[in-house]
Amino acid sequence: MNRLPIINRRFGPSLLSTLLVLGVSVSSTVMAKPNSELAIQETFKPYQCEGNGIISHTGGVSTLNTLKYFGTSITIDVYNSKPEQAGQALCHALNVVQEYHYLASNYSTYPHVENIKSINNSPASIHKIDPKLTALIAAGLDWYDKSDGYFNIALSPVINLWRKHRSECKGKIKDNGLCTKPGMDKLQNAAEYINIEDISLNQADNTIRLKTGMSIDLGGIAKGWMAEKVYEQLKSEGLTSFMINAGGNIRHLGLHTEGREFVTAIEDPLCKKFDYQLPECREFEGQYHEVIHGTDLTIVSSGNYLRYYRVKDKEYHHLIDPKTLQPKPEGISTSVVLDGLQIFADVISTTLFLMPLEQALEFADRSDYLEAVWYLDNEGNKVSSANFDKYRFKLSD
């Protein structure tokens, strides 16, 4: 499940005004076959920094920008480090982003890795996979029980049905009000292939096999997992102050270069949905519904206000409830702040959005590593977990 990039501003020095990205580096060599036919052998070089991201140094901040991975923009700012050290660390961080992008992709296969798309292309085969992918899949399976079934990496056949109908809602079909949604009979047929027990993962041998007809989707876990692995990489290289913005997944460590805590503003989802045309969204203060401060936090949101389409004046978004096989009809967004288990940020925000509110509040209040706030409706009503207020930035802070 793709994440929503709804947390994308912070207070402090501005980002570079332009994000540049070049193509993936592929070199081609002409080789002679024994039968004298010519063939092009492509040597895929997936882990180069040059051409896959821009690293710059300005105003005491070293920055990596890339648009190539996880279907979103990724920015990493490093503070209080020499450009040489920061530049090398940012290149290594980009390598981590690349590695998990290739492993977790369910859209493309790559010549150097057995990934989710490879598994989905031949589900009943036994696939030998990278131990890093084994760990990621195992965590997804583990969270099925922890989330009371609201997080299910095997939901892909149902998600794909909704995705197909949403992608067809464009052009004349959209203009003429002819968009459709999948029928319940087709959804129930797809649900025959979403049983988590039909995934055979051997963690000792790093192999996986699915039931014929199944497919898996790590979109609800992979980006947050990657962001935490990038955090670990940067920290291991001695960096003590940085911020990662992976398409709205915010992860930071230490203090801002100004010597204060990081401050992250969470955009009002209705402002984002209506392109800031609502009257209350035209003033700066109205564009954000929460402002969070801290020194070593993850902040991420899940919501229904960007990736949706209309069928007969009813909106259908991309977050599918595994129990109903339908988009959840209530709620606008859920934002979570974590000071522990940050690697599961995406999982937790998705789970807390899909759960009934009472159950979600109970989940948050019994977890000492997270707080959350729910944006409930078009009137802007909200509710938050018991101790969320400790992260709210106040003018007196």
Side-chain angles (χ1 to χ4, degrees), residues 123-180:
S125 300
I126 297 176
H127 298 267
K128 183 74 173 179
I129 58 176
D130 189 295
K132 294 183 179 69
L133 184 55
T134 299
L136 183 51
I137 294 171
L141 295 175
D142 190 42
W143 270 90
Y144 178 81
D145 290 330
K146 291 181 178 179
S147 69
D148 188 29
Y150 283 99
F151 184 80
N152 184 354
I153 65 171
L155 192 63
S156 181
V158 172
I159 293 171
N160 288 339
L161 271 177
W162 282 101
R163 186 177 289 153
K164 177 178 182 294
H165 283 259
R166 188 172 70 244
S167 67
E168 291 172 348
C169 183
K170 59 186 177 182
K172 291 183 178 180
I173 292 176
K174 181 179 180 180
D175 294 341
N176 294 326
L178 300 177
C179 298
T180 60

Side-chain angles (χ1 to χ4, degrees), residues 139 162 326 348:
W162 282 101
Q326 304 276 338
I348 293 167

